Amino acid sequence: METTNRIGLLIAFWIPVLVFAGCVKPGSASIIAEVGPEKISIADYERHLAKSNGSWEAAQKLPMEEKERYLDLLVKFRLKVLDAYHQGLDKDPEILQELKDYRTTLATSFLLDRVLVELGLRRMYQRRKEEIRASHILISLPTKPSSADTLKAWNKALDLLQRARAGEDFQSLAQQYSDDATTKGAGGDVYYFTSGVMAPAFEDACYEIKVGAVYPRPVRTGYGYHVIKVTDRKKSRGQIRASHIMVRFEASSPTPEDTLKAYNEIRALQDSILQGADFAALAKEHSQDITSAMQGGDLGFFERRRAVQPFDEAAFSLKVGEISGIVRTPYGYHLIKVTDEKPLGPFREVKQTLRQVYQNNRYTHDYNQFLGQYRSTVNFKFHNDAVDTLLSCVDSSARFENDGWAEKISPTLRQKPVLSFATEVMILDSVISTLKSDPEFSKMQATAENIQNALDRIAERRLLRHRVRNIEKEFPQFKAVLKEYQEGILLYKTEQQHIWSKLSAADSLLRDYFEHNRDRYTLPDRVNLSEIYYMRDSSYGIQFLDSLKAGVDFGELAARHTERIPLREKKGEWGLLPVKHNPITEIAGSMEVGAVGGPFHFEGGYCIIKVLAKDRARLKTYEEALPELSGHYHEYMSKRLEEDWLASVRKEFKVSVWKEKLKEAFLKPPPEE
């Protein structure tokens, strides 16, 4: 529908503020506003403001004027929606059809957030309270392995697994057989990690077993098969803050002499610290990590695995206030001091950060598992004979939207089932029709790979639609979400009716607005100049100055010699720019028209300039103001129309607001869900 994009924007803004309890008694101390028959409680206000700002803590920190502004927006929104209901827009056939069309998408998003993302975030949060150290033996697989490749790798991994569980030394096995070049030299050690760092299947296996145990099966990831042993588990510290003093190696592959020189320097600094010297002062004066040295060596807060392993291991072994011994990394020698630590915060505080990690690291894996489990539950099946019939139509020169690629499939064959599950069956004719008409597939070429991918995607959509068919019974809260979407559409419709359809940008109206607001549209002092720009020594410009003295035209010199290629066709001319635009325009602004100056150092080179024209500060003409004038006029008129509209709605629905009660909001954090 043509309204979809605008509706989507409205919903993205308003969904956090749409639904209210509506059951609080009038006059209750928890009521912050009444809009017609609706009551807005402090708890409602807190919840929706927190959502719109990302967290409860972020909303709590907002200044009072922002909190008051948000309450005003809330009241205005409810007035607009109440007016839409009053007009009967909720019974508009177009809106009802849009709700019907969008229900599956909305329900799917709601379901996945509840049964997948929310549970995944809580699992990740619980796991992040602990960190694990593990070793592995990787038997790699090609990017697109054949069944023979997979079987061969599985058998090799299984053999190594049995040998490890029988008591052979895991480190030796990793050094001999692992395909992971990064870890095999260290006996397969992957170092400490927590949830959201490793491949999901690898992580899941490690969190299931105890220290010293080898996971009982080879674990498949995108890299191949892993034989996994957990070597340590301990409570996570969260983040630490550390400072360091660094003496760099002079080369990436330092000689013994370079290494000894750096070691003697760091050792002397260590002796100074042992004698009572201030760590931060020494870092500022002597550390060769210039960025942190300016901060007294401070590196800020960081988690595990953010630094190279020797540094990381040394830093995380220190208590707050402790200073390490001399630590060698590939870059040099370090002395490290831990100055603070920040344990994992409450779930609600870290939820948004975890959500990003989860989406990047685990969501696809968990989603595929969720879908696979549901396939089993409903006995999902592809019918290979019909799939083979479809694959026989491969024509890489045609797109699915073309008629020819599937014309050889007879009407009888088109009635064959392609997929079935529960009580649903999708026949070949329906699949062909979907491939031709659905925008997701229609522009694809009719290759075997695209056909198979499209079938998987069609199956996925059908399964999800089936899964959410009775979602209101499973999650009664979904009714409120559907209502939110409906009210987002109502907001769009009613604003279209009362505001956007009434906006007019006729020339006469724009000119009238311009005449009443001329002072808003001004031009500063401006200057136009031509330049000869070059990237050589400043003395190179003497030849240009000599040519100018001899009467050569400045524009001709610029066209031949300026090294800003796009300006050659313009003979070096910049066009009128504000005098304050950059240092060169400021210099030109102080010169007379026709004057030549330079060379001036500018943007890595030098330029000689000639002032071509000046335009003093003045009011813009109507034509000059037009690009910004139209936007200002629409903003002015939309506000006016909105104010008039809301004034009339307030006559229909009484509004009471108690802003003084905002002082009671955000005093006590909400309980954990």
Side-chain angles (χ1 to χ4, degrees), residues 465-590:
R465 188 178 69 186
H466 185 268
R467 175 65 180 83
V468 301
R469 68 196 185 286
N470 295 316
I471 193 171
E472 288 91 346
K473 294 180 181 178
E474 186 178 0
F475 296 101
Q477 308 95 313
F478 179 69
K479 292 180 181 178
V481 174
L482 204 57
K483 186 177 177 67
E484 291 172 0
Y485 184 76
Q486 179 189 28
E487 292 191 343
I489 301 174
L490 290 176
L491 175 64
Y492 168 77
K493 288 286 187 181
T494 193
E495 283 193 339
Q496 186 73 25
Q497 176 182 335
H498 290 282
I499 299 175
W500 311 115
S501 65
K502 294 182 178 180
L503 286 177
S504 173
D507 184 70
S508 59
L509 295 174
L510 285 174
R511 286 186 181 276
D512 183 65
Y513 181 81
F514 174 70
E515 291 301 328
H516 286 85
N517 295 275
R518 289 190 66 113
D519 291 345
R520 291 185 66 180
Y521 305 102
T522 61
L523 286 169
D525 287 336
R526 295 182 299 164
V527 64
N528 185 15
L529 60 92
S530 179
E531 68 162 6
I532 303 169
Y533 179 84
Y534 57 93
M535 297 286 288
R536 311 178 197 188
D537 186 85
S538 62
S539 61
Y540 180 73
I542 294 173
Q543 61 180 305
F544 299 128
L545 295 174
D546 290 342
S547 296
L548 291 169
K549 288 178 182 177
V552 178
D553 180 72
F554 192 100
E556 291 180 9
L557 279 177
R560 291 201 306 268
H561 297 291
T562 187
E563 293 179 21
R564 294 188 203 271
I565 306 301
L567 289 182
R568 284 186 179 177
E569 292 183 4
K570 300 177 181 179
K571 296 184 177 182
E573 185 174 345
W574 283 20
L576 281 170
L577 291 171
V579 169
K580 299 294 185 182
H581 182 70
N582 63 34
I584 296 302
T585 53
E586 288 193 41
I587 292 170
S590 65

Side-chain angles (χ1 to χ4, degrees), residues 19 77 151 210 286 520 596 612:
V19 179
F77 171 75
L151 181 61
K210 297 179 181 179
H286 298 288
R520 291 185 66 180
V596 173
L612 302 179

